[in-house]
Amino acid sequence: MIRLHDTMTRKKRAFEPADPKRITMYVCGPTVYGRAHIGNARPAVVFDLLRRVLEHEYPDAEVTYARNVTDVDDKIIASAEQEGVDPSVVTERYERFYLDDMGALGVNPPTIAPHATQEIGPMIEMIERLVERGNAYEAEGHVLFSVPSDPDYGSLSRRDREAMVAGARVEVAPYKRDPADFVMWKPSDEGVIGWDSPWGRGRPGWHIECSAMIRAHLGETIDIHGGGLDLIFPHHENEIAQSRCAHGGAPLARYWVHNGFVDMGSEKMSKSLGNIVTPAELLEQGHKGETLRLALLSAHYRQPLAWTEDLIAQSKAVLDRWYRLLGDVEPFGEIAPFREALRDDLNTPRAIAVINEFLKGAEGPISDDYAFFQGGAQDMLRAAAASAKALGLLTMRKDEWFQGGGDAGDIEAKIAARAEAKKNRDFTTADRIRNELKAEGIVLEDTAAGTTWRKE
Ligand SMILES: [Zn+2]
């Protein structure tokens, strides 16, 4: 049984799909006008793992995971105007980059990737329905959702009305009946991307995109809706209002799952603060995608994650050790407490710690701590390898992982000999090995998670 923290109830709840044969999950995807940064990569990696966990837990179910592509938006239009190209030139380029970058982090493509520009029909339909029901109104070529028409508005973010109005962060346009009302459709000027609608030529707002796509591809009520914490208000609140009012009160999602921010020092990583680090530049610097994936999974998904050089080095050291011990091992079985950690609200730090502890057991004498495990040291290694793979790691061949630093196998053998020497308190031998490697231009770095190496 999986347990998930549900933002709507602020509780960890047992996950029970509405239909155990068909599990539906929707995550708000990228607005494609720039390169994704590590903060954008976090939900992609977290929900990729959640999908894998669901597929493992429900082997007979079809897990349908939809992640949209926002390919019409004011920032896209501005960007295309600046370049003097059609918006599709910008969106196709950055969507390709996004898929490449996330692919490098081991993120599998979602089951469905609906594009806003391909789903205008369902959006218009939903807006029409909301107008009919008295939840929306037309004003000066815009169609707005009437927040006071929905008595349950605010249930996800639990904001009072004052905070909601302040938080909407929009100048109060003269055509709004209420300052909290939000745009579902807006007019497009001549020469700007637009579609014909009952309210004239225009384009959709962002919130209606997700509501309409969820309805079109997954149904009125889905099992899991995911995204970053910053989407709770106003984006998810608005999605909920639109969908619930259009569907006679049916809830949009049964579980709301939100990931925390990635921090740079004391600030949230964000494009507007100009403090972003992208997977593309980290990969360019020679870091491997799996190192970045492990770094992103090293904190619990709901906690903030501080992105530092040390985090990357630690993650590489863990993977060096895993590849050293498990790179040639045929995966089989699994470590029960590892799976339990994932079932418990995707507790990845604990899952990773279980593998690391387990490897200590496999390397040394088998203690009572591993009494739950039936099998010898080799079986333990095989189970550890299977567990690491379940995180979307250990996907490379051992020689591939260690390539790019001279005779990697040789270096690894020397690191193992040095570790052995240190364990036996033979520091003369340990220092000699370190110095021999240094003479060859290989620098060893000892971290809490093990020893890693780099070329000088
Ligand atoms: Zn959304």
Side-chain angles (χ1 to χ4, degrees):
M1 177 78 80
I2 300 173
R3 289 161 60 76
L4 288 175
H5 183 272
D6 171 30
T7 310
M8 185 65 87
T9 53
R10 307 288 195 273
K11 279 194 187 94
K12 232 197 258 186
R13 294 169 51 211
F15 174 71
E16 286 171 65
D19 174 0
K21 291 278 172 217
R22 183 170 185 261
I23 297 170
T24 49
M25 176 162 86
Y26 182 91
V27 175
C28 302
T31 301
V32 279
Y33 72 101
R35 208 82 193 221
H37 59 71
I38 284 289
N40 305 137
R42 192 177 191 192
V45 168
V46 162
F47 290 101
D48 175 74
L49 181 62
L50 179 54
R51 177 222 211 148
R52 291 171 194 243
V53 171
L54 290 167
E55 284 172 342
H56 180 274
E57 225 50 44
Y58 297 89
D60 301 327
E62 184 195 326
V63 177
T64 306
Y65 170 28
R67 187 184 66 203
N68 66 315
V69 177
T70 299
D71 59 353
V72 54
D73 168 271
D74 288 353
K75 292 185 213 99
I76 294 171
I77 294 169
S79 197
E81 265 171 15
Q82 208 167 20
E83 282 191 43
V85 296
D86 192 79
S88 65
V89 175
V90 172
T91 57
E92 281 167 24
R93 180 200 305 146
Y94 286 108
E95 184 182 353
R96 207 159 44 236
F97 280 141
Y98 182 82
L99 293 174
D100 287 351
D101 294 344
M102 296 311 122
L105 302 187
V107 174
N108 290 325
T111 326
I112 319 170
H115 288 61
T117 55
Q118 310 299 313
E119 312 267 338
I120 302 295
M123 293 186 216
I124 291 176
E125 247 170 67
M126 189 177 267
I127 297 170
E128 280 185 305
R129 194 188 289 207
L130 288 166
V131 172
E132 271 166 37
R133 291 181 176 230
N135 296 109
Y137 59 95
E138 189 190 352
E140 297 178 30
H142 295 71
V143 185
L144 292 111
F145 185 90
S146 163
V147 167
S149 77
D150 176 15
D152 291 330
Y153 188 87
S155 53
L156 182 70
S157 59
R158 299 188 180 178
R159 291 181 178 222
D160 61 24
R161 182 170 158 84
E162 211 168 293
M164 274 180 328
V165 172
R169 274 178 301 156
V170 280
E171 66 204 86
V172 179
Y175 46 79
K176 282 192 181 184
R177 289 184 194 162
D178 186 282
D181 293 351
F182 58 89
V183 170
M184 294 189 291
W185 188 264
K186 61 176 140 191
S188 284
D189 291 337
E190 191 62 42
V192 174
I193 186 168
W195 291 263
D196 289 331
S197 82
W199 318 284
R201 193 172 162 279
R203 58 188 189 278
W206 177 35
H207 316 302
I208 193 69
E209 183 186 318
C210 291
S211 287
M213 288 182 184
I214 290 171
R215 169 71 186 81
H217 293 278
L218 302 176
E220 291 187 358
T221 300
I222 57 173
D223 287 314
I224 299 171
H225 194 315
L229 269 182
D230 50 339
L231 299 185
I232 294 176
F233 185 86
H235 183 56
H236 288 165
E237 201 72 82
N238 293 353
E239 281 187 33
I240 290 171
Q242 293 165 153
S243 296
R244 196 180 40 207
C245 292
H247 301 142
L252 175 54
R254 302 173 59 249
Y255 299 83
W256 285 88
V257 180
H258 291 100
N259 67 274
F261 298 132
V262 176
D263 298 327
M264 292 293 279
S266 57
E267 285 176 320
K268 171 195 163 192
M269 187 186 290
S270 84
K271 213 168 168 162
S272 54
L273 292 171
N275 61 355
I276 60 168
V277 178
T278 66
E281 60 194 339
L282 292 166
L283 294 166
E284 179 81 6
Q285 288 163 19
H287 297 296
K288 293 194 172 69
E290 283 194 18
T291 305
L292 308 181
R293 183 179 177 94
L294 181 63
L296 284 166
L297 293 175
S298 63
H300 187 262
Y301 77 89
R302 288 198 287 122
Q303 298 303 316
L305 172 67
W307 191 260
T308 61
E309 291 284 328
D310 194 52
L311 172 69
I312 304 175
Q314 291 264 358
S315 303
K316 179 179 182 293
V318 168
L319 283 165
D320 280 349
R321 177 160 177 256
W322 288 7
Y323 271 99
R324 195 180 303 141
L325 296 171
L326 307 172
D328 294 328
V329 172
E330 185 72 30
F332 182 76
E334 220 164 41
I335 315 167
F338 164 84
R339 185 54 66 182
E340 279 155 28
L342 290 184
R343 280 187 194 125
D344 182 15
D345 196 27
L346 218 60
N347 192 336
T348 53
R350 200 164 84 215
I352 293 163
V354 167
I355 298 178
N356 284 327
E357 282 299 310
F358 205 66
L359 286 177
K360 271 189 217 159
E363 281 180 302
I366 296 176
S367 75
D368 288 349
D369 294 351
Y370 307 100
F372 65 85
F373 190 81
Q374 307 288 315
Q378 187 60 25
D379 299 317
M380 290 178 85
L381 291 176
R382 294 182 70 186
S387 300
K389 275 187 184 289
L391 293 173
L393 300 166
L394 228 59
T395 62
M396 296 165 81
R397 290 198 321 269
K398 189 176 186 172
D399 59 328
E400 246 182 309
W401 175 261
F402 286 115
Q403 81 184 356
D407 187 353
D410 205 37
I411 297 166
E412 289 303 315
K414 284 180 182 170
I415 290 176
R418 175 170 167 267
E420 185 64 27
K422 277 170 81 174
K423 210 163 87 186
N424 300 329
R425 309 195 65 76
D426 178 1
F427 297 110
T428 318
T429 304
D431 287 345
R432 181 178 50 76
I433 294 171
R434 172 190 278 275
N435 292 335
E436 276 173 13
L437 284 168
K438 186 154 182 15
E440 293 167 27
I442 304 295
V443 180
L444 299 187
E445 285 167 350
D446 293 317
T447 76
T451 304
T452 180
W453 58 271
R454 62 176 167 82
K455 275 181 157 182
E456 214 164 10

